[in-house]
Each structure stands twice: as structure tokens, then as C-alpha cells.
Amino acid sequence: MSDTLASLAETQVGGGSSSSTQGSNPLSRKLNKILETRLDNDKEMLEALKALSAFFTENSLRSRRNLRGDIERRSLSINEEFVSIFKDVKEELESIHEDVQIMSTCCEDMTSRLKAAKEQTQDLIVKTTKLQAENQRLDIRAQVANAFLSKFQLTSDEMSILRGTREGPLTESFFKALGRVKQIHNDVKVLLRTNQQTAGLEIMEQMALLQETSYERLYRWTQNECRTLTQESCDISPVLTQAVEALQDRPVLYKYTLDEFGTARRNAVVRGFIDALTRGGPGGTPRPIEMHSHDPLRYVGDMLAWLHQATASEKEHLEALLKLVTIQGVEENIQEVVGHITEGVCRPLKVRIEQVIVAEPGAVLLYKVSNLLKFYHHTISTIVGTSASTLLSTIEEMHLLSKKIFFNSLSLHASKLVDKVELPPPDLGPSSALTQTLTLLREVLVSHDSSVVPLDARQADFVQVLSCVLDPLLQMCTVSASNLGTADMATFMVNCLYMMKTTLALFEFTDRRLEMLQFQIEAHLDTLINEQASYVLTRAGLSYMYSAVQQHRPEQGPLANTPSMDSASLKAAMVQFDRYLSAPDNLLMAQLNFLLSPTVKEQIIKQSTQLVCRAYTELYAAVMNPANEYKAPETILHRSPHQVQTLLS
């Protein structure tokens, strides 16, 4: 574009170069001004030049001369185009204006018509508004009435369910309806605290009457259901459990229901017990309990085991029946009813156990039966509790009876021992009566140890059993040995006491008795030890000399002057004593060979030997004493006490 303007300028000033140098030329000044202009900052000029470049395509003289006309023609064309376009717009606007005018006329007509209609229907609108407000109030009152009825009245279905036939079955719907009645009866108390007391009293009276009718029907149905529970296997239905739960609100009906259940189950248990005794199980398995009546322990044990199982089963049935009951004293109710159920079997049980006990099967069996009764008394009491129970009383009575007859049997056996005392046998061992009694005692104690009776009860029985048996035995042994010599009596008593001790040592709770027996054994052992020492000293020739040394007093003069205490006598006695030292076992009392315990025999020999050594030591000291005037005493007693002790050890 700048090149075009430059060319244009040259053409305009061509031929007049002399005048271009003059500063007064306007065209020159204008061109210079144009050439000096910074087109980058003139946005309008740039836009004009861009528009010019769109149609000024050829830079010729003719084009430059016609430029003004071209621009004017182009401007005129553009204006004509605008006029044409705005003419269409004007026509559209006029069409729109006509439409708006029509709509305005229509709206004015509708407004006038609505105004006229409103004036005509004003009364109807007011009435309609009043009716709508009244309708809303009635709807609210209807909702309140419906809520009141649903809160304080039963539905027709619920009424028909509660007023069904007395013998008809009960379903889950009955208990829901009964619960609804109870809820209404409780909720209506709110009305009594408002100004609706009349309605509250009427509803409460209606619900109370309906409740009584429903509870009577419920009780009759429950009573009939309980009367059918007479089979050995009792199946408590969920409906019956719900019925008992509902009856807990009526304590009298609840108590009558439990009594009815207890009576039905009592008959079933009695019949089941008699069948178990006489008929056995289904198909004969298990066999009838009375088939084992020849075995007293099994007979009594089978009966008590059956009753224990039956008692546990009946408690489970009652727990299932009362599992939904929430009143206090449910456990006491269960124990009371179980006691009533098991009361029916007490008489047949008592008669049969009495027959076993009175037949006196023997002390051991009686004691086992007593322990068995005590065990089942403790076991069944954990089921029925410690409250008054006829079954527990019966078992306790039989236990005391068997225990009494057991101790009577032991006392009778003991009295026979004392009344008819046997002489000791030639071997000085225990008599047959002692052996038999200890065998009986051992069997009793074995059954006592294997008993499952509580520990404190077993310990009390143990003390009583030992007193009943051991004291007469000791008395019998003492009387039997009263006519024997000292050594024979001591040997016999040691053997008897040793057998008693070995019998008791195998059992618990015998420590005190074992200590007593050990003291008595040691007393008789002292006798045998002294007898054995005297026997050795007598046979060895030192008995007289030892007695002389013990009885000698210094004022009596020298011991050598005492008769039979001279040197020759002492030397002769030492010859016999040397024979004893060479073979000590040859000088044993015959009674020692009768001892049952080798340990006791060794103890007697050892301690008697110590006594012999002590006697020799005293004799040796007396001979070696210069005051006794023995000449060359070392030639008389050529062995020192230490040498003698070494030879005898």
C-alpha cells in the first residue's frame, strides 16, 4: 500500500521537481505528513485501507482517477442493501405489531368476561371456600376418631377371634388380640386423667369384661391341653408355652394350670415307673428292673437312676413350659411342681427299698446301698432344690434306715467278737475272727473310697465305722492274750495290731487311728526288746552279773568280793558270751519267728542288741574300776565295748 501511495505521489508531482523542493507546496506537505504517519497506531486508517484493498485491485491511472467514484458507488450499494434488509425487518415488525394488537384485544375481552363471571360466581366461591374449610375440619375429626378407635377399640376380626368357641383351638392371632386388649386396658388410663373420663370408664369396663372372657377361654384350653400330657414323652407346644405366659397375669389361673400340669405328669411318671419295674422298655429293652431284685445294689441303683432321669426330664419339661414366664418365683414354681410330680413314686420306691434293707443282705451291701442313696439324694437335690420334696425325704429316710441297719450289723458282729473270744493260735498270729472282721472292714472301706458321696459326709461315716469295728477288735485281742506269757502276749498283740495297721494304711481319713495303733505297737515292741535282751544276757551268762553291777553300792565294798562276781566266774561267763558273739542269731526267742513283719523283727533284734551292748559296757566299766579290786582286769574282760558293738553290728 505504501508503494502505491509513493507511485501516486510521483505521478502527481511529475514534471514539477523544481517546485517539490519548496516547502510552501501544500501537496508536498500533505504527502510528507502522510508518509511520516505511523499507520501501526492508527486503527481507523488500517481498517479503511483493508476495506480499500478489497476492491482496489489494479493500481492504474484510470483506477486511481475513478477511486472516488468507486468508493461512492460502493457506499451507495451498501446503503441500498441495508435499506432492503431493514424493509424486511419493518414488515416483520408490523406483522408482529398486528398480532400483539389482536392479542391485546382478546385479553381485554377475556378480562371483561372473567370480571363478569367473577361477579356472577362470587357467592358460589364463598360457599365453596366455607365447604372446603368444613371438609378439612371433618377430615381432621375423622382422622382423630379413626385414631381413637384404632387406639382404644378392637377390630371385628380381633373380636371374633377372642369370642371364638370355648373348645376351639388357639392360634397366634388369639395371643396378639389378647395382647391388644391388655394394651388398650393400660392405655385407657390416660383418658381417666382428662375430661374424657366417661369414655375411659366405658372402654375400661368393656376391655375388662373382654379380658375375663378371653382368660377364661384361655384357661379352659390350657387345662385341656395339660390333661392330655400323660404320655411318657411330653412334647410342650409353643402355643401352650404362650398360653402359660399369658396366664401369668392371672395368678390363680396360673397356679391352677401348673397344678393341672403337675397332676398329669405325676400320673405319667408313676405309670412309667411301674412299667419300668415290671414291664421294662419297649420290646423288653431295657429289661424290667425287678428282674435284678436278687442283686440289691443294682436293684436299688436302677430304680434311683430311673427316678433321677425322670426328675431331670420333668424339670426340662417345666422349664420349656415356663420359659416365657417373667414373674418372680419361677424357679420356686418349677421345684414345687417337680416335687409334686415325683411324689407319686415315693411309696412304691420306699416299699421296695425297705424290702431290700430289711432283708439284711450283709454289712458291705448295706453300706453300699446307704452310699448309693446318699449320692442320689445329693444329685436329685441339685435338680429339685433343697426345698421340701417328698422324694428327697423318702430317699433320706431310706438312707438313714440302711445306715442304721448297717451299723447295727457291725455292732452285732463286734458284740459277738467280745462275747466269744478265741484263744490265740499256736503261731501267735491273728485269729480267724480278727482276719474275717478285717476283711469285712476292708470291703466296707473299699466301697467307702469308691463312693461319690460328698467328702465331709464320707469322713463322718468313716470315723463312725472305725469306732464301731476297731474298738471291739482291740478289746477282743486284749482279752484273748490275757492268759499268755509276757513275750507271747506282746508277739500276739504286735501281729494283730500290725494287721490292723496294714489294713487301714490303704485308705484315707485313717491318720488318727494309724497313730494310735502305732503307739500300741511300740509299747509291745518295747516289751519284746527287753525280753530279747534278757534272753540273750541269760543265755550268755551275763544276766546275774549285770544285775549285781546295777545293785552294787560303794559302801558294800569291792565288787570282786561279791559272791559269783570273782574273776573266775567272770571268765567263765565271758566264754559263753564269746559263743554268743560268734553266732548272735542262735540266741533269738522263738516268738520273734512268729512275727508277721520282717521289719519289726529286725527292729527288735537291733534294739535288743543295743541293750546287750549297753549292759556289757556297764559291766566292763565296773570291772575296770580300780575300786572294785580286780587284778589284771584286761585279762578278765578281754574285749572292749567297742569291739563287742562292732561284732554285733
Side-chain angles (χ1 to χ4, degrees):
M1 180 63 67
S2 61
D3 294 341
T4 305
L5 291 175
S7 300
L8 182 61
E10 290 175 358
T11 304
Q12 294 292 333
V13 298
S17 60
S18 60
S19 62
S20 63
T21 59
Q22 297 177 2
S24 61
N25 190 345
L27 182 61
S28 176
R29 287 197 302 272
K30 185 177 290 188
L31 289 174
N32 288 333
K33 184 178 180 181
I34 293 172
L35 291 174
E36 291 174 356
T37 302
R38 301 289 295 180
L39 298 178
D40 294 339
N41 297 328
D42 193 350
K43 295 183 179 180
E44 294 180 356
M45 181 61 72
L46 289 175
E47 293 294 330
L49 291 176
K50 289 180 181 179
L52 182 62
S53 65
F55 63 89
F56 190 81
T57 59
E58 182 180 358
N59 186 11
S60 63
L61 179 61
R62 186 176 180 277
S63 297
R64 290 193 296 271
R65 289 178 177 177
N66 296 330
L67 177 61
R68 184 179 183 88
D70 292 339
I71 292 173
E72 291 177 351
R73 283 191 298 274
R74 182 172 178 81
S75 175
L76 181 60
S77 176
I78 291 172
N79 290 331
E80 290 177 351
E81 183 179 356
F82 270 108
V83 170
S84 177
I85 292 172
F86 276 109
K87 181 180 180 181
D88 295 337
V89 172
K90 179 178 176 295
E91 293 176 353
E92 292 293 332
L93 287 175
E94 289 176 351
S95 176
I96 291 172
H97 177 72
E98 292 177 358
D99 292 339
V100 171
Q101 285 293 108
I102 295 172
M103 291 177 63
S104 175
T105 304
C106 184
C107 287
E108 290 177 356
D109 181 58
M110 291 179 65
T111 302
S112 61
R113 291 171 63 186
L114 286 173
K115 185 176 180 181
K118 183 177 181 181
E119 292 175 354
Q120 295 175 358
T121 59
Q122 183 67 32
D123 294 339
L124 181 61
I125 292 174
V126 172
K127 292 181 180 180
T128 303
T129 304
K130 290 181 179 180
L131 291 175
Q132 287 178 346
E134 185 68 20
N135 186 36
Q136 290 179 353
R137 288 194 298 272
L138 292 176
D139 287 340
I140 294 174
R141 295 182 66 180
Q143 292 176 2
V144 172
N146 290 332
F148 182 85
L149 291 176
S150 62
K151 183 73 174 179
F152 296 105
Q153 291 294 324
L154 298 177
T155 64
S156 57
D157 292 338
E158 290 173 337
M159 293 291 290
S160 62
I161 290 173
L162 290 176
R163 292 175 176 175
T165 59
R166 178 175 295 184
E167 305 299 330
L170 297 184
T171 61
E172 185 70 24
S173 302
F174 176 86
F175 297 102
K176 291 182 179 179
L178 183 59
R180 179 90 175 101
V181 172
K182 291 171 57 178
Q183 185 64 37
I184 293 174
H185 192 272
N186 292 330
D187 293 342
V188 78
K189 296 177 182 178
V190 179
L191 293 178
L192 299 178
R193 295 196 292 268
T194 65
N195 56 357
Q196 302 295 331
Q197 294 183 358
T198 303
L201 290 174
E202 291 178 356
I203 294 173
M204 180 173 286
E205 183 179 358
Q206 180 186 7
M207 292 299 109
L209 181 61
L210 191 58
Q211 265 188 324
E212 294 304 321
T213 304
S214 302
Y215 276 118
E216 182 180 1
R217 181 189 173 196
L218 178 62
Y219 170 66
R220 297 299 180 190
W221 180 87
T222 307
Q223 186 181 44
N224 292 333
E225 285 293 312
C226 290
R227 287 174 178 174
T228 62
L229 299 177
T230 57
Q231 301 298 322
E232 186 173 353
S233 59
C234 178
D235 185 15
I236 306 298
S237 64
V239 178
L240 182 58
T241 303
Q242 282 185 300
V244 176
E245 179 197 13
L247 286 174
Q248 67 179 331
D249 294 331
R250 295 294 185 271
V252 175
L253 299 181
Y254 172 76
K255 181 65 169 56
Y256 287 164
T257 300
L258 292 184
D259 292 343
E260 197 69 41
F261 178 85
T263 301
R265 294 310 304 161
R266 173 173 174 163
N267 296 334
V269 170
V270 171
R271 186 171 59 254
F273 184 58
I274 299 301
D275 289 344
L277 288 172
T278 58
R279 299 174 57 184
T285 304
R287 300 175 65 188
I289 296 177
E290 290 190 345
M291 292 287 290
H292 306 290
S293 58
H294 61 281
D295 184 354
L297 190 63
R298 180 174 180 181
Y299 183 45
V300 175
D302 287 349
M303 287 191 292
L304 293 175
W306 191 95
L307 288 177
H308 172 249
Q309 182 179 3
T311 305
S313 299
E314 294 306 318
K315 184 178 181 181
E316 290 177 358
H317 296 157
L318 267 170
E319 288 174 345
L321 181 69
L322 304 179
K323 65 180 180 180
L324 300 179
V325 176
T326 57
I327 60 174
Q328 293 182 352
V330 176
E331 188 63 30
E332 289 77 4
N333 293 149
I334 292 176
Q335 294 178 2
E336 181 181 354
V337 176
V338 171
H340 174 68
I341 292 173
T342 56
E343 183 179 0
V345 299
C346 292
R347 182 171 181 78
L349 175 68
K350 181 179 180 180
V351 169
R352 285 162 176 78
I353 295 180
E354 279 182 344
Q355 290 175 349
V356 172
I357 295 174
V358 173
E360 296 188 13
V364 177
L365 274 177
L366 282 172
Y367 190 67
K368 290 181 178 180
V369 169
S370 174
N371 286 335
L372 190 64
L373 289 166
K374 187 68 175 178
F375 165 70
Y376 275 104
H377 180 277
H378 175 74
T379 304
I380 295 177
S381 66
T382 60
I383 300 175
V384 301
T386 56
S387 59
S389 170
T390 307
L391 178 60
L392 290 180
S393 301
T394 302
I395 295 176
E396 178 65 17
E397 182 182 353
M398 293 298 97
H399 163 68
L400 295 177
L401 178 61
S402 62
K403 189 175 179 180
K404 177 181 178 181
I405 296 182
F406 162 70
F407 282 111
N408 288 342
S409 177
L410 287 184
S411 300
L412 180 61
H413 182 84
S415 63
K416 290 181 180 179
L417 293 177
V418 178
D419 292 342
K420 188 179 180 180
V421 178
E422 297 182 7
L423 294 176
D427 60 357
L428 300 179
S431 62
S432 59
L434 176 65
T435 304
Q436 293 174 2
T437 304
L438 289 179
T439 301
L440 173 64
L441 179 61
R442 186 182 299 108
E443 292 178 356
V444 171
L445 297 184
V446 167
S447 64
H448 181 277
D449 271 4
S450 61
S451 172
V452 288
V453 175
L455 189 64
D456 53 349
R458 282 195 291 157
Q459 185 172 1
D461 290 346
F462 205 101
V463 173
Q464 190 174 0
V465 169
L466 292 181
S467 299
C468 190
V469 176
L470 286 183
D471 294 341
L473 273 182
L474 291 173
Q475 183 181 359
M476 181 197 73
C477 294
T478 302
V479 174
S480 178
S482 60
N483 295 327
L484 297 177
T486 303
D488 290 343
M489 181 178 67
T491 303
F492 175 71
M493 290 301 297
V494 167
N495 285 335
C496 293
L497 293 171
Y498 174 76
M499 179 167 282
M500 295 181 194
K501 181 181 176 182
T502 54
T503 300
L504 296 183
L506 301 176
F507 305 99
E508 57 182 352
F509 310 128
T510 59
D511 294 341
R512 191 176 67 83
R513 283 287 180 173
L514 289 175
E515 290 178 1
M516 183 190 71
L517 293 175
Q518 184 62 35
F519 290 151
Q520 294 181 357
I521 290 174
E522 290 176 356
H524 292 292
L525 284 181
D526 290 340
T527 301
L528 287 176
I529 291 169
N530 291 328
E531 288 293 323
Q532 172 63 20
S534 299
Y535 181 80
V536 171
L537 291 176
T538 301
R539 298 297 186 274
L542 297 182
S543 178
Y544 172 76
M545 297 176 181
Y546 176 65
S547 299
V549 169
Q550 287 186 320
Q551 296 173 3
H552 182 263
R553 298 290 180 269
E555 60 272 11
Q556 295 177 354
L559 185 61
N561 298 331
T562 303
S564 300
M565 289 298 292
D566 55 284
S567 299
S569 299
L570 288 174
K571 289 181 179 180
M574 285 305 299
V575 173
Q576 295 181 8
F577 190 66
D578 286 340
R579 294 195 191 99
Y580 163 70
L581 294 178
S582 61
D585 293 339
N586 292 334
L587 290 183
L588 292 178
M589 293 190 304
Q591 290 85 348
L592 298 185
N593 295 323
F594 295 149
L595 291 172
L596 298 178
S597 173
T599 303
V600 172
K601 179 179 179 181
E602 292 178 2
Q603 180 182 354
I604 294 173
I605 294 174
K606 180 179 179 180
Q607 295 186 9
S608 63
T609 302
Q610 292 176 356
L611 292 179
V612 171
C613 292
R614 190 183 306 165
Y616 181 78
T617 300
E618 293 182 13
L619 178 61
Y620 185 83
V623 172
M624 294 301 169
N625 189 357
N628 290 323
E629 299 181 357
Y630 284 104
K631 297 179 180 180
E634 64 275 0
T635 60
I636 300 174
L637 301 180
H638 55 278
R639 298 185 187 277
S640 66
H642 180 69
Q643 291 174 339
V644 171
Q645 187 173 2
T646 302
L647 291 173
L648 292 178
S649 61

